[in-house]
C-alpha cells in the first residue's frame, strides 16, 4: 500500500490509538522548542495537527504540509486559526513553497517514510532564513534495527507502512553537506529508562 493511502486509512484513529511514539514526540518537541518563538514555521508532515495545535502559539504564521488528504482533513477540522495554512504536497518532490524564509522547519515522525534525506535537507535549507532552525524527531535507528516501524490496526489487522532506515551518521552527514550545523542531539527513552534501547532521536540544526 502506498504511504499516503495508508495514512488516509490511519487518519480516523491516529489521534486516539495507543501510540507511545506519538505521545513521546509531543513531549520532546515541546521541551526542545520551549521558550523559543518564531516568525514563520513550516511543519513537514503535519498530519492531524498534533503539533500544529501548540506551535501556532509560538509564531506569526505556520504552513503545515502533508500529502495525506485525510490527515489534513483532520487537522483542518481541529485547527481554526488565521495564522495557519495547510498544503497538500509530496515532500519528496521539489517544494513549491520554499521561498517563504521560515525561521523554523519542523519534521516529526516523517523521515522514516522518506528515503532521500539529502533532498529534504537541501529543500529545508532553501526554505529557511540564515540562522533558521531545523527540528527533527524520528524513531531511533536502534528501534529500526530491531524491527520497529510505523504501524496501525485496521479491522483487527496490523498494517505496516513502508519505511527506510536512517542511521545517526546519515542525518549528521546530510546536514553537514547541506550547510547546517548541529545545535543539539538527544536520545529519548521510554519512561526515561536509559537501560533500554532509546525510542526516539531528536536533532536541532541551524542553517549556516
Ligand atoms: C507518523 S505521521 C506524523 C504526523 C505528525 N507530524 C505527528 O507528529 O503526529 C507521518 C506524517 O507524514 C506524512 N508524510 C509521509 N511521507 C510524506 C511525504 N512524502 N510528503 C508529505 N507528507 C508525508 C504522512 O501523511 C503523515 O501525516
Amino acid at each position: 500500500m502506498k504511504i499516503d493511502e495508508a495514512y488516509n486509512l490511519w487518519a480516523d484513529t491516529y489521534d486516539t490509538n495507543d501510540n507511545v511514539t506519538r505521545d513521546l514526540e509531543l513531549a520532546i518537541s515541546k521541551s526542545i522548542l520551549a521558550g523559543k518563538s518564531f516568525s514563520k514555521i513550516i511543519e513537514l508532515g503535519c498530519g492531524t495537527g498534533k503539533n500544529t495545535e501548540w506551535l501556532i502559539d509560538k509564531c506569526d504564521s505556520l504552513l503545515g504540509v502533508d500529502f495525506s488528504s485525510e490527515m489534513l482533513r483532520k487537522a483542518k477540522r481541529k485547527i481554526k486559526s488565521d495564522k495557519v495554512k495547510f498544503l497538500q504536497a509530496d515532500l519528496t518532490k521539489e517544494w513549491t513553497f520554499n521561498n517563504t524564509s521560515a525561521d523554523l522547519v519542523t519534521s516529526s515522525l516523517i523521515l522514516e517514510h522518506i528515503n532521500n534525506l539529502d533532498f529534504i535537507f537541501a529543500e529545508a535549507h532553501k526554505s529557511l532564513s540564515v540562522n533558521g532552525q531545523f527540528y527533527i524527531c524520528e524513531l531511533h535507528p536502534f528501534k529500526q534495527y530491531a524491527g520497529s516501524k510505523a504501524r496501525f490496526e485496521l479491522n483487527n489487522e496490523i498494517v505496516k507502512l513502508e519505511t527506510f532506515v536512517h542511521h545517526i551518521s546519515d542525518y549528521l552527514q546530510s546536514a553537514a553537506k547541506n550547510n547546517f550545523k548541529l545545535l543539539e542531539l538527544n536520545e529519548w527513552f521510554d519512561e526515561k529508562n536509559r537501560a533500554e534501547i532509546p525510542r526516539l532521536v531528536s536533532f536541532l540544526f541551524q542553517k549556516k
Side-chain angles (χ1 to χ4, degrees), residues 9-189:
L9 294 174
W10 193 354
D12 256 349
T13 55
Y14 183 85
D15 288 336
T16 49
N17 277 159
D18 285 344
N19 186 334
V20 180
T21 299
R22 176 201 62 209
D23 296 345
L24 182 59
E25 197 287 325
L26 175 64
I28 293 166
S29 50
K30 283 185 171 175
S31 91
I32 297 287
L33 299 174
K36 297 179 189 273
S37 59
F38 302 93
S39 168
K40 289 183 183 170
I41 297 178
I42 297 175
E43 193 188 352
L44 308 179
C46 60
T48 60
K50 171 199 103 200
N51 290 339
T52 322
E53 269 184 321
W54 59 270
L55 282 172
I56 50 177
D57 294 331
K58 294 191 154 291
C59 66
D60 301 325
S61 69
L62 183 151
L63 176 68
V65 185
D66 203 289
F67 68 177
S68 160
S69 55
E70 291 304 306
M71 295 292 272
L72 281 175
R73 198 167 59 83
K74 286 268 170 189
K76 284 178 190 164
R77 206 181 274 171
K78 251 191 293 190
I79 296 153
K80 309 274 181 214
S81 165
D82 292 344
K83 290 184 186 178
V84 177
K85 286 201 169 60
F86 290 107
L87 176 72
Q88 187 174 4
D90 183 348
L91 292 159
T92 64
K93 309 272 181 340
E94 194 181 344
W95 299 0
T96 54
F97 51 87
N98 61 4
N99 53 356
T100 50
S101 299
D103 45 2
L104 177 70
V105 172
T106 70
S107 174
S108 299
L109 307 178
I110 146 164
L111 297 179
E112 74 169 317
H113 299 304
I114 293 182
N115 192 19
N116 188 350
L117 282 188
D118 270 355
F119 179 79
I120 299 295
F121 274 97
E123 293 296 301
H125 194 269
K126 286 187 217 163
S127 302
L128 282 163
S129 47
V130 175
N131 295 329
Q133 298 190 357
F134 187 16
Y135 163 82
I136 293 174
C137 188
E138 280 298 318
L139 197 60
H140 199 291
F142 291 172
K143 278 276 183 200
Q144 295 192 299
Y145 307 153
S148 283
K149 50 162 57 195
R151 69 185 73 199
F152 67 102
E153 201 180 310
L154 183 69
N155 304 327
N156 297 321
E157 288 197 13
I158 300 295
V159 180
K160 290 186 183 171
L161 282 78
E162 184 181 18
T163 55
F164 303 91
V165 173
H166 299 305
H167 309 290
I168 299 286
S169 56
D170 295 338
Y171 292 102
L172 298 182
Q173 286 168 12
S174 197
K177 186 171 156 189
N178 288 287
N179 281 315
F180 282 96
K181 81 172 175 194
L182 180 66
L183 299 180
E184 270 189 62
L185 188 170
N186 292 289
E187 295 169 301
W188 304 88
F189 301 79

